[in-house]
Amino acid sequence: VNRLLVDHAHCELKAAANALSLAARHARDVDLALALTDLAREEIAHFQRVLGALAARGLSCGPPPEDGYAAALRQFAAKLPRSPHASPLVDRLLIGALIEARSCERFKLLADAIGDDGPHGDLRALWKEFFASEAQHYGTFVDLAVRAAAGDRPWTIARLEELARIEAQIVSKLGLEDRGRSRATVHG
Ligand SMILES: [Fe+2]
Ligand SMILES: [Fe+2]
């Protein structure tokens, strides 16, 4: 649990930083910038909550670990064929959606794995709350991607599925490289 908390703190901060850098790059699009900065604010709040949980255990957060996952996904996305609405922004938003979906799944597993009255009962409530908010973040990223793809939802969902197939390959490869370290490679 301790290692997971330390790793997770960085995931939250990375999610906030990613949303902020996208917002900065597309600040001319006011709705997009507002949605992304709202999301960043929530991720920063998550980071602070995790720091609190760490402090309550007398732990602190070291420097961030290397994370090949998001970078690998972006590299692959750049090589995908250019179809009608494809743009770097759409792909970044869809990758954001995938990362949120994974972290959502992860919190569900974590919340289910922790009993209410064990030593980490406090974390159960936290994971459940994060689960709900990551599910919302997923929806936000998908909606923003549809919007960036000229409102073409079927095309956007097909692109998301294409990226998800690539993601599955990356995750299984990282899983092999990371063997024994049990580090989460995805954001929360
Ligand atoms: Fe999130
Ligand atoms: Fe989060």
Side-chain angles (χ1 to χ4, degrees):
V1 167
N2 292 350
R3 201 161 55 166
L4 186 135
L5 273 175
V6 171
D7 177 49
H8 188 68
H10 286 296
C11 292
E12 296 291 357
L13 209 52
K14 245 183 276 175
N18 180 55
L20 286 178
S21 94
L22 261 184
R25 204 169 313 166
H26 300 277
R28 223 181 315 173
D29 183 340
V30 174
D31 288 340
L32 181 74
L34 285 177
L36 287 171
T37 44
D38 274 347
L39 200 130
R41 205 200 312 255
E42 272 187 46
E43 303 296 18
I44 290 172
H46 288 175
F47 172 70
Q48 293 176 332
R49 300 279 296 281
V50 177
L51 282 188
L54 281 170
R57 289 165 175 76
L59 299 167
S60 62
C61 202
E66 274 292 312
D67 190 353
Y69 170 81
L73 207 45
R74 276 200 287 272
Q75 272 170 22
F76 274 100
K79 286 185 213 139
L80 281 180
R82 304 278 97 192
S83 33
H85 309 299
S87 72
L89 175 62
V90 172
D91 283 337
R92 288 280 302 250
L93 293 170
L94 289 178
I95 288 169
L98 282 177
I99 292 176
E100 299 290 347
R102 291 304 157 257
S103 88
C104 187
E105 289 165 5
R106 185 170 165 225
F107 288 126
K108 175 88 176 71
L109 292 173
L110 288 171
D112 289 349
I114 291 182
D116 276 322
D117 28 64
H120 299 294
D122 58 326
L123 292 182
R124 187 174 156 90
L126 193 68
W127 297 151
K128 277 189 165 165
E129 192 191 315
F130 283 10
F131 164 76
S133 102
E134 305 310 349
Q136 245 174 31
H137 294 169
Y138 166 79
T140 300
F141 272 118
V142 172
D143 290 347
L144 290 174
V146 169
R147 187 173 160 275
D152 191 339
R153 187 167 282 271
W155 177 88
T156 307
I157 298 302
R159 183 85 172 177
L160 179 65
E161 281 164 2
E162 205 169 352
L163 287 169
R165 271 196 297 278
I166 296 167
E167 189 224 9
Q169 292 167 15
I170 294 171
V171 169
S172 56
K173 204 169 136 251
L174 282 176
L176 290 176
E177 287 166 4
D178 259 10
R179 205 187 333 235
R181 290 206 294 143
S182 78
R183 193 174 80 68
T185 44
V186 296
H187 136 69

